Amino acid sequence: MIFGILVLFWSTLSIIRAYRKLYALTPIDQGGLALTAELAAQVTAGYGLMSLFARLPMFIISDRLNRRKIFIQIALFLLMCTSFAVFWQANVWTLYASSLAMGLSATMLAMFNIIFSETFSKDQAIVSVSILSVAPLLAEFIAAPIQYLMTNDIVKHFNWMWLISAVLATITLILTFQMKDYIPSDQEAFSIKKVKIVLQHKSFLAICVLAILISFIKFSTSGANMVAYGKLELNMSPVMLAYLDTVFAVPQLIAGVLAGIYFVKRIGVKYTLMLAMACAGAFMLIALYVRNPWLVFIGYTLNGFSYGLVYNVLISMAMQYFDRTYRSVSMGIYQAFFALGIFYGDYVYVWIAQHIPNGLFHFTHNQSIFVVTFCLTVYSNFMIYRMIK
């Protein structure tokens, strides 16, 4: 039941999430809103902004109330309302509200991880993460054909994508009332003492700092930002744009599964993470120097593979440092750090548009993000090498 609801939940989000920037930038006569690059980046950054402010409080409140499912239902309700609002009256404000709701909804993946992990023992945390990672992939396969059908003409039907999302959110919200809210019987209420214990764990904090870098790299070079880049810089076809998220998600899933059952066992955590960052760096170089849209499209698999390895390993490490009574607090703190990277991964485009509109080192301002992320990828590899034994 949890798995099936997550597939529908993520489908609701996936249909519109990658197109919010392109919707904002597309000319009005082609179905878009014709916003400036800076405004479009602000709209996109709303996703990370909500994640930044919602993740830790959500886990603290859920820990105090000893309830989790209600937060998923609240996120679905807001996603439903804002998606209907964009369909009825699309403008910068409704699209921004929709982006905020998407950010809150994406936060619920961590809540699903917590609920799902309660059906497993402590030492099987990485197994639960790997199993649940299949659900977003299935959602991408559901979303991609819908995205293509709505955008394959000269005039794009972005508003209909938001309507479909609203309808799916309504259906999923109804189904959540049949989902059991798993709470361990020995669960203790949130306390400052629990936070202090978690924050005193130096290895956990090191993982949190690394999570900031990883999420920045991922969210600045994928999703809505990659769709906009593919359209504006490479002139990718509508079908290629629609399946970009799928091309990212398939190797992400493969890597997520292999991370626990193969790579960590064969080469260890340190070299698994370093391999992941090497794959990400290779994609950055392809995006910088290759102008063929098909080669970039195929090379994008390296970005997904990288994220699949590093995300599953990091989140499993963050969960395994503590027993079940501390999971909500530790996950909330980890997700708060992760959300910093999400926000700045989107907001960096605002900074680039304002301060370096002509780009870095003779690259365009859209390409400049790959210069920044390549440098961060190299630094992340150095950090992993130094901090993990």
Side-chain angles (χ1 to χ4, degrees), residues 339-382:
L340 276 172
I342 297 175
F343 173 68
Y344 285 108
D346 287 328
Y347 194 78
V348 67
Y349 286 87
V350 178
W351 185 85
I352 290 174
Q354 289 176 339
H355 300 288
I356 46 174
N358 296 323
L360 287 167
F361 309 118
H362 305 293
F363 292 105
T364 68
H365 79 278
N366 285 322
Q367 288 177 300
S368 295
I369 189 61
F370 294 104
V371 177
V372 175
T373 53
F374 179 78
C375 293
L376 287 178
T377 299
V378 174
Y379 176 74
S380 297
N381 240 343
F382 176 76

Side-chain angles (χ1 to χ4, degrees), residues 243-281:
Y243 278 89
L244 268 175
D245 275 1
T246 306
V247 165
F248 186 95
V250 171
Q252 179 187 343
L253 170 65
I254 294 171
V257 173
L258 291 178
I261 66 174
Y262 181 77
F263 285 107
V264 170
K265 292 181 179 179
R266 292 294 297 271
I267 62 176
V269 170
K270 174 194 283 191
Y271 292 107
T272 297
L273 292 176
M274 292 183 71
L275 172 65
M277 301 318 298
C279 290

Side-chain angles (χ1 to χ4, degrees), residues 42-347:
Q42 292 276 15
V43 166
T44 309
Y47 177 94
L49 183 66
M50 179 57 76
S51 293
L52 179 61
F53 286 105
R55 294 196 178 212
L56 182 56
M58 176 189 70
F59 280 101
I60 291 174
I61 296 170
S62 70
D63 209 30
R64 292 289 289 180
L65 298 179
N66 219 24
R67 298 179 67 186
R68 291 170 182 157
K69 184 174 72 172
I70 185 65
F71 294 94
I72 295 172
Q73 293 170 327
I74 290 171
L76 276 167
F77 178 76
L78 293 175
L79 188 62
M80 176 187 70
C81 292
T82 55
S83 294
F84 275 127
V86 171
F87 173 71
W88 283 321
Q89 185 62 55
N91 55 49
V92 64
W93 298 110
T94 55
L95 192 59
Y96 187 71
S98 176
S99 188
L100 291 172
M102 289 181 218
L104 180 63
S105 298
T107 301
M108 297 305 138
L109 181 58
M111 190 64 78
F112 273 104
N113 272 321
I114 289 291
I115 296 174
F116 199 62
S117 69
E118 297 301 348
T119 64
F120 292 79
S121 62
K122 179 184 175 181
D123 59 350
Q124 290 181 312
I126 195 167
V127 176
S128 69
V129 173
S130 295
I131 293 173
L132 208 60
S133 65
V134 178
L137 172 62
L138 295 178
E140 299 296 351
F141 277 108
I142 293 171
I146 297 172
Q147 292 167 334
Y148 171 69
L149 289 173
M150 296 297 111
T151 60
N152 66 335
D153 294 328
I154 295 177
V155 178
K156 317 299 180 185
H157 302 289
F158 294 116
N159 58 332
W160 284 95
M161 293 166 64
W162 263 256
L163 176 62
I164 294 170
S165 174
V167 172
L168 266 181
T170 305
I171 295 171
T172 310
L173 177 60
I174 294 171
L175 289 175
T176 58
F177 288 97
Q178 303 299 316
M179 184 175 74
K180 184 177 178 181
D181 200 358
Y182 282 92
I183 302 290
S185 57
D186 58 348
Q187 179 72 41
E188 299 175 6
F190 167 84
S191 67
I192 299 298
K193 180 181 177 181
K194 291 172 72 173
V195 174
K196 288 181 178 178
I197 290 174
V198 171
L199 291 178
Q200 287 171 355
H201 201 297
K202 293 182 180 180
S203 296
F204 172 75
L205 290 180
I207 293 299
C208 289
V209 172
L210 186 58
I212 298 175
L213 297 175
I214 299 304
S215 60
F216 179 95
I217 293 168
K218 189 270 182 183
F219 284 90
S220 61
T221 61
S222 65
N225 293 317
M226 187 61 194
V227 170
Y229 181 81
K231 176 63 177 178
L232 300 175
E233 289 285 335
L234 304 173
N235 197 29
M236 286 186 177
S237 66
V239 67
M240 291 171 74
L241 295 175
Y243 278 89
L244 268 175
D245 275 1
T246 306
V247 165
F248 186 95
V250 171
Q252 179 187 343
L253 170 65
I254 294 171
V257 173
L258 291 178
I261 66 174
Y262 181 77
F263 285 107
V264 170
K265 292 181 179 179
R266 292 294 297 271
I267 62 176
V269 170
K270 174 194 283 191
Y271 292 107
T272 297
L273 292 176
M274 292 183 71
L275 172 65
M277 301 318 298
C279 290
F283 168 69
M284 308 307 166
L285 294 176
I286 291 172
L288 275 173
Y289 292 105
V290 176
R291 298 288 85 195
N292 185 306
W294 276 106
L295 290 179
V296 177
F297 183 79
I298 295 170
Y300 192 45
T301 58
L302 290 171
N303 207 20
F305 189 83
S306 168
Y307 186 65
L309 283 179
V310 74
Y311 176 82
N312 280 26
V313 172
L314 285 184
I315 200 170
S316 299
M317 291 174 70
M319 290 171 66
Q320 287 180 339
Y321 282 130
F322 307 97
D323 61 32
R324 293 168 63 181
T325 60
Y326 286 88
R327 275 188 186 169
S328 287
V329 174
S330 62
M331 183 57 66
I333 293 172
Y334 173 84
Q335 291 294 330
F337 278 91
F338 194 82
L340 276 172
I342 297 175
F343 173 68
Y344 285 108
D346 287 328
Y347 194 78

